[in-house]
């Protein structure tokens, strides 16, 4: 094949969704070297201005009507942007954060785009029970390792909708319950819903499918880490508080100081799990008023501890602004009631001193690194579903990693075996 033909195939691959059964296509993708050309608070294939310019022509068709800079509604000053999609089938408001306004805008717009795709899945679906699929020779995900809902109705003879994904670890196609993949919250749920948790965990967009996959995998690892941290109990949580004076990175120090200068007290917990990817949880409180005001938190997970921390702090600032702006569909009166819990009384854990830099690594190397880490802790499936729409050509993926914990802030969450084992080993 000539170089031109290869390039054309590559371009095509950027717009056509890969079906789960296209083993050659996924194998090709996983060896495609996609370099990072932007690394400031995040790592991306191109600069945020270029991403915005590429997706802007499609915003109207996806129902995105407004990008609003709401930074000035709070006094911290870390950039936060609201993105409105009024006719959505889930959240009509997405939120973006970043170290500057353009990064915050891209993060909000790309989140709205990822949700739009999650609400309009175009991959073919099968209506069958797990037993039927098995009898027809199709491989299904290990459903016993998927996050379940309380009083779930799943059994192996229940007819439900399935979508085909590709398992990066077993390098084979695998069928997944559609409920774990789509992101539509319409009250008339698809056949066979009500078995597994339906969240946006692991849904991500990006400049390239591999870039989106890295973001999605890190998100699933982050939420698993946060659920384990909560399950660990009060003494464990207190032990994980990070000594903020041990942070040397100038950008990290800057976001922390911005909070402090605004009279906001940031505290940070090292929630990293046995997977070994740095993960942090940042809480921010009104200094002197934490008993009577809500505590806001943010999560961050990245190979580079400094990026993980920056993401956690900027997400905490974003959570505060979401409440101030008041326009999210999922807010309730309860969110405005005081929920103050005290800051940790000690913070001994040092922030890593050595600088980790993976900005020269390609995205497929990042995916391979994450896959190897998952296998090391006994995870044997990490399933990707390409949700890219031929209409827009913007890469969107859903990653499902059975065996990791789902987000415990979901009202339907029930601790899985990993959280129960973690709690057990700490007690
Ligand atoms: N510079 C960028 N270029 C392309 N896509 C981006 C960029 N920044 C963020 N995204 C995408 O935007 C979406 C939101 O990412 P972001 O990091 O802002 O939030 P998040 O941590 O996923 O938030 P949440 O915890 O609310 O899901 C993701 O799909 C991400 O891949
Ligand atoms: Mg996300």
């Amino acid at each position: 094949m000539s170089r031109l033909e290869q390039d054309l195939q590559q371009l095509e691959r950027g717009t056509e969704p890969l079906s789960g059964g296209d083993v050659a296509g996924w194998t090709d993708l996983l060896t495609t070297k996609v370099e990072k050309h932007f690394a400031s608070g995040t790592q991306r294939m191109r600069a945020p201005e270029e991403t915005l310019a590429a997706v802007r022509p499609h915003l109207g068709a996806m129902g995105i009507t407004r990008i609003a800079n709401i930074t000035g509604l709070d006094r911290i000053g870390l950039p936060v942007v609201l993105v409105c999609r009024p006719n959505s089938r889930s959240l009509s408001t997405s939120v973006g954060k970043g170290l500057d306004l353009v990064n915050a805008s891209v993060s909000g717009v790309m989140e709205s785009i990822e949700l739009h795709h999650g609400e309009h899945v175009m991959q073919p679906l099968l209506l069958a029970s797990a037993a039927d699929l098995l009898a027809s020779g199709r491989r299904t995900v290990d459903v016993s390792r998927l996050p379940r809902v309380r009083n779930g109705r799943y059994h192996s003879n229940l007819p439900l909708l399935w979508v085909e994904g590709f398992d990066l670890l077993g390098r084979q196609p695998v069928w997944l319950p559609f409920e774990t993949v789509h992101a539509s919250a319409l009250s008339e749920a698809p056949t066979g819903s009500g078995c597994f948790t339906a969240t946006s965990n692991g849904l991500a967009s990006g400049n390239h499918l591999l870039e989106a996959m890295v973001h999605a995998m890190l998100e699933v690892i982050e939420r698993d880490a946060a659920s384990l941290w909560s399950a660990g109990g009060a003494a464990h949580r207190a032990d994980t508080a990070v000594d903020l004076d041990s942070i040397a990175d100038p950008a990290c120090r800057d976001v922390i100081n911005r909070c402090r200068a605004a009279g906001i007290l940031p505290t940070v917990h090292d929630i990293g799990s046995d997977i070994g990817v740095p993960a942090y949880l940042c809480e921010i409180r009104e200094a002197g008023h934490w008993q009577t005001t809500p505590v806001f938190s943010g999560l961050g997970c990245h190979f580079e501890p400094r990026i993980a921390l920056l993401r956690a702090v900027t997400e905490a600032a974003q959570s505060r602004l979401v409440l101030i702006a008041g326009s999210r569909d999922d807010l309730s009166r309860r969110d405005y009631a005081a929920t103050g819990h005290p800051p940790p009384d000690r913070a001994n854990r040092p922030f890593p001193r050595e600088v980790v830099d993976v900005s020269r690594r390609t995205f497929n190397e990042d995916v391979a690194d994450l896959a190897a880490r998952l296998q090391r802790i006994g995870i044997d499936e990490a399933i990707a579903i390409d949700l890219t729409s031929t209409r827009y050509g913007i890469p969107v993926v859903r990653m499902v990693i059975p065996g990791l914990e789902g987000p415990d802030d979901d009202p339907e969450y029930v601790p899985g075996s990993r959280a129960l084992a973690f709690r057990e080993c700490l007690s």
Side-chain angles (χ1 to χ4, degrees):
M1 194 187 293
S2 74
R3 184 64 202 264
L4 179 65
E5 280 169 331
Q6 277 179 15
D7 284 355
L8 284 174
Q9 201 181 55
Q10 197 66 43
L11 264 181
E12 187 84 340
R13 180 128 313 137
T15 55
E16 280 290 330
L18 278 172
S19 78
D22 184 356
V23 178
W26 283 100
T27 309
D28 252 25
L29 177 80
L30 293 172
T31 51
T32 304
K33 296 205 173 305
V34 180
E35 288 177 0
K36 300 168 184 169
H37 293 292
F38 180 83
S40 171
T42 178
Q43 291 180 346
R44 298 282 163 186
M45 193 187 89
R46 57 182 166 192
E49 293 83 357
E50 294 173 51
T51 307
L52 261 190
V55 302
R56 197 178 278 279
H58 304 297
L59 300 188
M62 283 185 272
I64 296 175
T65 56
R66 183 167 179 246
I67 303 173
N69 174 8
I70 59 165
T71 312
L73 296 181
D74 196 1
R75 55 183 202 277
I76 302 179
L78 290 170
V80 176
V81 161
L82 274 191
V83 178
C84 302
R85 203 166 45 89
N87 202 21
S88 71
R89 296 179 182 179
S90 59
L91 288 181
S92 62
T93 311
S94 290
V95 203
K97 79 274 186 181
L99 295 182
D100 56 40
L101 196 55
V102 63
N103 270 297
S105 305
V106 176
S107 119
V109 165
M110 294 302 275
E111 185 174 89
S112 191
I113 290 175
E114 88 188 22
L115 278 175
H116 173 85
H117 285 70
E119 293 165 18
H120 299 86
V121 174
M122 299 306 286
Q123 294 275 10
L125 304 178
L126 267 185
L127 177 60
S129 67
D132 291 338
L133 286 182
L134 202 67
S136 70
R138 291 176 173 88
R139 188 184 178 87
T140 61
V141 62
D142 182 353
V143 286
S144 71
R145 302 190 86 188
L146 291 174
R148 300 252 182 140
V149 294
R150 212 175 298 282
N151 306 319
R153 34 194 299 262
Y154 180 80
H155 58 84
S156 62
N157 288 308
L158 181 76
L160 54 139
L161 289 169
W162 300 81
V163 60
E164 195 179 27
F166 183 77
D167 173 16
L168 307 182
L169 306 186
R171 299 282 175 124
Q172 59 193 343
V174 58
W175 289 84
L176 282 156
F178 183 48
E179 188 171 25
T180 62
V181 175
H182 76 83
S184 169
L186 292 184
S187 51
E188 208 170 302
T191 308
S193 300
C195 299
F196 306 99
T197 55
T199 68
S200 63
N201 190 21
L203 186 62
S205 58
N207 298 291
H208 190 280
L209 196 56
L210 286 167
E211 182 195 291
M213 283 163 67
V214 172
H215 186 93
M217 292 173 90
L218 289 172
E219 181 165 286
V220 180
I221 291 169
E222 169 192 286
R223 305 282 163 82
D224 167 77
S227 297
L228 292 181
W229 181 76
S230 305
H236 168 69
R237 293 195 293 270
D239 275 350
T240 60
V242 172
D243 172 10
L244 299 188
D245 291 336
S246 68
I247 300 173
D249 179 76
C252 292
R253 294 193 68 83
D254 181 56
V255 291
I256 286 166
N257 289 337
R258 282 222 224 173
C259 293
R260 286 177 173 155
I264 306 291
L265 185 70
T267 54
V268 171
H269 291 267
D270 176 353
I271 61 165
S273 72
D274 52 353
I275 298 174
V277 184
Y280 294 95
L281 177 142
C282 171
E283 289 184 329
I284 53 177
R285 296 170 173 80
E286 287 281 343
H289 300 283
W290 59 262
Q291 297 95 332
T292 53
T293 52
V295 177
F296 297 92
S297 64
L299 297 170
C301 175
H302 198 271
F303 303 101
E304 299 191 12
R306 57 181 294 277
I307 296 183
L309 185 97
L310 284 171
R311 292 179 56 74
V313 180
T314 51
E315 188 165 277
Q318 170 187 296
S319 315
R320 214 176 116 97
L321 263 164
V322 165
L323 208 74
I324 293 171
S327 54
R328 270 274 284 246
D329 330 54
D330 57 349
L331 291 178
S332 75
R333 180 181 288 268
R334 233 175 314 130
D335 294 304
Y336 288 84
T339 54
H341 54 272
D345 54 10
R346 58 183 194 283
N348 300 331
R349 201 168 278 208
F351 192 72
R353 287 220 153 265
E354 78 282 9
V355 177
V356 181
D357 180 359
V358 297
S359 60
R360 267 187 273 277
R361 213 159 74 168
T362 55
F363 287 109
N364 69 310
E365 287 169 332
D366 281 355
V367 170
D369 178 331
L370 293 174
R373 286 172 191 271
L374 290 167
Q375 278 174 316
R376 275 204 290 277
I377 62 148
I379 298 291
D380 48 19
E381 292 179 304
I383 303 155
I385 302 92
D386 184 1
L387 301 180
T388 308
S389 156
T390 35
R391 189 164 170 205
Y392 311 116
I394 303 170
V396 180
V397 73
R398 168 75 89 161
M399 290 295 316
V400 176
I401 308 180
L404 297 191
E405 288 297 310
D408 68 350
D409 54 359
D410 175 15
E412 294 291 324
Y413 171 80
V414 265
S417 54
R418 184 163 150 85
L420 297 176
F422 184 69
R423 195 181 291 165
E424 183 72 28
C425 95
L426 284 179
S427 64

